[in-house]
Amino acid sequence: MKKYRIDKTKNIGNVIFVVEGGRPETGGTELRLLKKIFADILGYEVQELRRGSEEFIGYGQNPNFRVFALNLPKNQLTQLTEEAMDELFCKLREEFHIKPEDCPIFYLYDRDVLSYQRNELRKKYVKKYTDPYGTESGDQGQLLLSYPAIEAYLLSCVKDNTIEMSFKLGKDAKAALAREICTADCEDKTELHLKTINLVFSNETEEMEKRLIHSINEMDNGLEALGIHPYDLDDLAPTLLEVYDNQQQKYMGENTFSLLSLVGLALLELGVITEVEEEE
């Protein structure tokens, strides 16, 4: 098993995450997750733009290391059009005077079968968005799917051997996560979706960091179990496509997906989590 460590000194510059989930009033699980990881644990600045809002919400202060967590007007992958992205990125240029074309871009979406229209060609987006810094064809951004939903990542933070779990829908993964983090003696289960991130990540820095590392190990174990290992962080296109094809076969045969999230790849590519060399 590889060993990893967290590097809080890494200069990540400006990073853009475009995420699926999001509620105008409270933000979504993905936005809260990015705030927890990058602001609370790593100490970077996070600027959040919720769906339907024109104003950014800031967390932390670190103008040299900023993460922009953004929502498109709608969830569907079909919304990843040049027009929609230009409109979204125009707000970044006006508000923060940054050039999105110079930033790594990650798209965090779910593979829940109910998330998309029946005629949507999901594989097209997996093949198109493979590099956060841009490809030779000019397609910028990397699509990191969670199977079946973002709760796969949260479960990988707290539970072992998550690849052995399988679900069809995101709501099934949510129920499993709720059972894992909110036991029978849980005092208040109302609006649990708002409390999930804080229940997964305690207030103790060391414990939060351990859970981040645990999620990377679970992702590695999952990829190895699927026969997709090792992978090359400098060329993830084959890995992303192999995962997608593997999960499609799983769904066609068993009507479920193996629990797996690729969110951790962004942390590895940005260098905030790095592999520990043997001599260290």
Side-chain angles (χ1 to χ4, degrees):
M1 178 185 294
K2 294 181 180 179
K3 293 185 178 180
Y4 293 99
R5 65 179 179 85
I6 293 175
D7 183 2
K8 295 184 179 181
T9 67
K10 180 67 176 181
N11 182 351
I12 62 172
N14 295 311
V15 182
I16 298 172
F17 283 87
V18 178
V19 306
E20 175 180 349
R23 303 185 181 189
E25 302 82 7
T26 62
T29 300
E30 289 90 343
L31 293 180
R32 289 191 289 274
L33 174 63
L34 292 173
K35 170 183 170 293
K36 175 62 68 174
I37 291 175
F38 286 100
D40 296 349
I41 301 178
L42 300 175
Y44 299 137
E45 179 179 330
V46 174
Q47 292 288 339
E48 172 189 294
L49 183 65
R50 297 175 182 174
R51 180 168 295 120
S53 176
E54 295 294 326
E55 296 183 0
F56 286 84
I57 302 174
Y59 304 93
Q61 278 191 325
N62 197 333
N64 295 317
F65 310 114
R66 290 185 299 194
V67 172
F68 296 93
L70 315 174
N71 274 152
L72 282 171
K74 296 182 180 179
N75 278 345
Q76 288 82 6
L77 278 172
T78 49
Q79 293 298 309
L80 291 178
T81 63
E82 289 186 14
E83 294 78 12
M85 298 308 297
D86 284 344
E87 183 176 344
L88 190 64
F89 292 160
C90 183
K91 297 177 181 179
L92 290 179
R93 295 186 182 98
E94 293 175 352
E95 185 78 16
F96 298 98
H97 308 291
I98 70 166
K99 297 179 179 180
E101 59 270 22
D102 294 335
C103 305
I105 302 174
F106 299 94
Y107 304 115
L108 304 187
Y109 279 75
D110 295 342
R111 182 56 190 94
D112 186 316
V113 295
L114 298 183
S115 294
Y116 313 113
Q117 302 172 5
R118 281 184 175 272
N119 63 349
E120 185 174 321
L121 301 176
R122 290 171 287 269
K123 189 172 185 177
K124 176 182 73 173
Y125 296 94
V126 176
K127 296 174 71 173
K128 181 177 182 178
Y129 295 112
T130 61
D131 193 317
Y133 298 93
T135 62
E136 292 182 357
S137 59
D139 296 315
Q140 185 179 4
Q142 187 174 75
L143 176 60
L144 299 176
L145 293 174
S146 292
Y147 299 85
I150 192 65
E151 283 73 23
Y153 178 77
L154 296 172
L155 276 163
S156 74
C157 292
V158 298
K159 192 171 178 62
D160 296 333
N161 302 316
T162 47
I163 192 64
E164 297 177 3
M165 305 171 71
S166 61
F167 302 104
K168 177 181 180 180
L169 302 175
K171 67 178 183 179
D172 302 327
K174 287 182 181 179
L177 178 63
R179 291 192 295 270
E180 188 70 26
I181 64 177
C182 195
T183 56
D185 60 352
C186 189
E187 293 182 2
D188 186 6
K189 294 185 180 181
T190 59
E191 295 189 324
L192 185 58
H193 67 282
L194 296 176
K195 307 169 187 175
T196 297
I197 302 299
N198 287 333
L199 289 173
V200 169
F201 294 97
S202 68
N203 291 325
E204 297 180 5
T205 300
E206 185 176 349
E207 183 62 29
M208 289 193 291
E209 292 178 358
K210 285 182 179 179
R211 296 203 164 179
L212 274 190
I213 298 298
H214 191 275
S215 71
I216 300 297
N217 287 326
E218 282 297 296
M219 182 184 69
D220 281 353
N221 292 340
L223 292 174
E224 186 171 4
L226 296 180
I228 309 170
H229 202 79
Y231 51 86
D232 183 358
L233 290 175
D234 294 323
D235 182 21
L236 281 172
T239 297
L240 300 176
L241 189 58
E242 279 189 74
V243 172
Y244 181 83
D245 287 341
N246 189 294
Q247 292 281 28
Q248 287 298 99
Q249 292 177 12
K250 170 85 172 180
Y251 178 69
M252 295 298 293
E254 302 179 22
N255 203 34
T256 62
F257 299 105
S258 298
L259 197 76
L260 179 68
S261 173
L262 301 179
V263 171
L265 289 176
L267 303 178
L268 292 173
E269 289 183 273
L270 291 173
V272 295
I273 294 181
T274 60
E275 185 179 354
V276 178
E277 301 295 338
E278 290 296 329
E279 56 267 23
E280 294 186 33

